[in-house]
Amino acid sequence: MRGEYNTRQKREMLKFLKDRSMQHFSVDDVVFDMQNQGEKIGRSTVYRYLEQLAEQGAVRKYQSVQGVTQYQHVEDAAACDGHFHMMCSKCGNLFHVDCRLMGALAKHLTEDHGFVLDPRETILVGLCEKCRDGGEGAEHGADTASECHHCV
Amino acid sequence: MRGEYNTRQKREMLKFLKDRSMQHFSVDDVVFDMQNQGEKIGRSTVYRYLEQLAEQGAVRKYQSVQGVTQYQHVEDAAACDGHFHMMCSKCGNLFHVDCRLMGALAKHLTEDHGFVLDPRETILVGLCEKCRDGGEGAEHGADTASECHHCV
DNA sequence: TTGCGTGCAAAGGTTTTGCATGGCA
DNA sequence: TGCCATGCAAAACCTTTGCACGCAA
């Protein structure tokens, strides 16, 4: 049965992801960054374990606009249940969108359009505040929580 | 300068896409389907012209959940401005979501979260009515317009 | 000791690119 | 005729898979 053994590679990779829950990674990012930190890990292992974690719901898996698979650790699966995510097309950061209106939208789509929206798969795309204003782009891995100023 | 010549391949491909504005295609779909109709076209040409059309806004380009690039002809760019799209994760069909609530959401996100939502890039993911009910999955290329029963 | 996990290398699939040829203007 | 467009093949990527060896239990 899969996922039975608790190996060094799994421990280190999970720790790596947990320590960077605000960031998202491609497989290459994980391999490269971990190896830069002196941790030895093979590419196949990263692919395989990331896939396992995604199945378990411990990481979110999605396609970037450029078509590269991205992964991000899900800090609290329960906390993520009720909300959606938004990706900035410029800086690439992923934001949590905690907002009642999203729930209302999901309900409405289900009841009046017949669509059952999947918050785990759906990613809203646009420009985040920093990239819109500064035009510089937020640094990669900046804090990515977004609370609604009005409706939380 | 690119896109200067009006060639047979471009004419046929554009016609092919226009005639099937309700469907979405991978590059392979286009190559295969067109060749099945007896139209000769090379794979590189399809890649290159699709890319050009996407830049011009004549086709929408996006990643399927499985990570394959999909293209769909945009019938009326202006008509698409005000609405979003939803993809069924089971049958893969793309639906127009014509609904005031989406506009309200975009406005709210901009004003209260600082996000400028991009309707052209954003795809809502979930289950469409047919796939939810029948469990069979709608046939590929079925009609994909969805009007709101309440709020249009 | 057993058998899952790992890592290498090979294979598979998709997309891009270089280059000679073809065809539009 | 000049130059962009096309199509083939090769290359570049990303991801999956097969297999022998390593290591957790």
Side-chain angles (χ1 to χ4, degrees), chain A residues 65-133:
Chain A
V65 175
Q66 290 75 26
V68 181
T69 310
Q70 300 281 125
Y71 301 86
Q72 180 178 32
H73 182 252
V74 175
E75 220 155 348
D76 181 355
C80 275
D81 252 8
H83 70 254
F84 286 75
H85 299 92
M86 163 146 182
M87 183 166 49
C88 177
S89 54
K90 189 164 181 195
C91 66
N93 277 329
L94 198 71
F95 299 81
H96 295 237
V97 183
D98 259 316
C99 179
R100 279 197 317 221
L101 200 53
M102 288 307 301
L105 173 70
K107 186 160 177 279
H108 169 76
L109 286 176
T110 302
E111 292 176 357
D112 296 320
H113 293 256
F115 291 136
V116 184
L117 207 50
D118 184 348
R120 289 179 45 180
E121 296 280 2
T122 299
I123 310 236
L124 306 172
V125 180
L127 280 179
C128 74
E129 202 156 15
K130 286 187 188 172
C131 287
R132 183 193 55 171
D133 295 342

Side-chain angles (χ1 to χ4, degrees), chain A residues 1-151:
Chain A
M1 178 184 167
R2 275 170 69 192
E4 240 173 42
Y5 289 6
N6 173 18
T7 63
R8 173 184 59 77
Q9 287 87 338
K10 287 185 185 176
R11 278 192 305 273
E12 285 181 355
M13 196 171 132
L14 194 53
K15 181 176 187 313
F16 177 90
L17 293 168
K18 274 187 177 166
D19 286 350
R20 297 164 183 73
S21 281
M22 288 321 220
Q23 297 175 52
H24 49 99
F25 301 93
S26 68
V27 167
D28 259 23
D29 292 336
V30 175
V31 173
F32 210 67
D33 289 2
M34 285 187 69
Q35 289 182 348
N36 271 351
Q37 293 188 191
E39 278 148 10
K40 292 189 209 312
I41 195 157
R43 184 173 306 272
S44 322
T45 303
V46 173
Y47 270 107
R48 284 190 274 232
Y49 189 39
L50 237 23
E51 193 55 40
Q52 269 182 53
L53 290 171
E55 278 170 21
Q56 298 169 202
V59 304
R60 187 174 16 256
K61 176 186 179 181
Y62 60 92
Q63 303 292 325
S64 72
V65 175
Q66 290 75 26
V68 181
T69 310
Q70 300 281 125
Y71 301 86
Q72 180 178 32
H73 182 252
V74 175
E75 220 155 348
D76 181 355
C80 275
D81 252 8
H83 70 254
F84 286 75
H85 299 92
M86 163 146 182
M87 183 166 49
C88 177
S89 54
K90 189 164 181 195
C91 66
N93 277 329
L94 198 71
F95 299 81
H96 295 237
V97 183
D98 259 316
C99 179
R100 279 197 317 221
L101 200 53
M102 288 307 301
L105 173 70
K107 186 160 177 279
H108 169 76
L109 286 176
T110 302
E111 292 176 357
D112 296 320
H113 293 256
F115 291 136
V116 184
L117 207 50
D118 184 348
R120 289 179 45 180
E121 296 280 2
T122 299
I123 310 236
L124 306 172
V125 180
L127 280 179
C128 74
E129 202 156 15
K130 286 187 188 172
C131 287
R132 183 193 55 171
D133 295 342
E136 315 262 311
E139 60 274 46
H140 187 79
D143 185 293
T144 49
S146 163
E147 282 172 16
C148 176
H149 304 159
H150 282 161
C151 64

Side-chain angles (χ1 to χ4, degrees), chain B residues 79-98:
Chain B
C80 275
D81 253 7
H83 71 253
F84 286 76
H85 299 92
M86 165 149 180
M87 184 166 48
C88 177
S89 53
K90 189 165 180 193
C91 66
N93 276 330
L94 199 71
F95 300 80
H96 295 237
V97 183
D98 259 317

Side-chain angles (χ1 to χ4, degrees), chain B residues 3-5 7 9-10 42 44-45 48:
Chain B
E4 240 173 43
Y5 288 4
T7 64
Q9 287 88 336
K10 287 184 184 175
S44 321
T45 303
R48 285 189 272 231

Side-chain angles (χ1 to χ4, degrees), chain B residues 51-102:
Chain B
E51 193 54 42
Q52 269 182 54
L53 289 172
E55 276 170 23
Q56 296 170 203
V59 304
R60 185 172 21 252
K61 175 185 179 181
Y62 60 92
Q63 302 293 325
S64 72
V65 174
Q66 291 75 26
V68 180
T69 309
Q70 300 281 124
Y71 301 86
Q72 182 178 32
H73 182 252
V74 175
E75 220 155 348
D76 181 355
C80 275
D81 253 7
H83 71 253
F84 286 76
H85 299 92
M86 165 149 180
M87 184 166 48
C88 177
S89 53
K90 189 165 180 193
C91 66
N93 276 330
L94 199 71
F95 300 80
H96 295 237
V97 183
D98 259 317
C99 179
R100 280 197 316 220
L101 200 53
M102 289 306 303

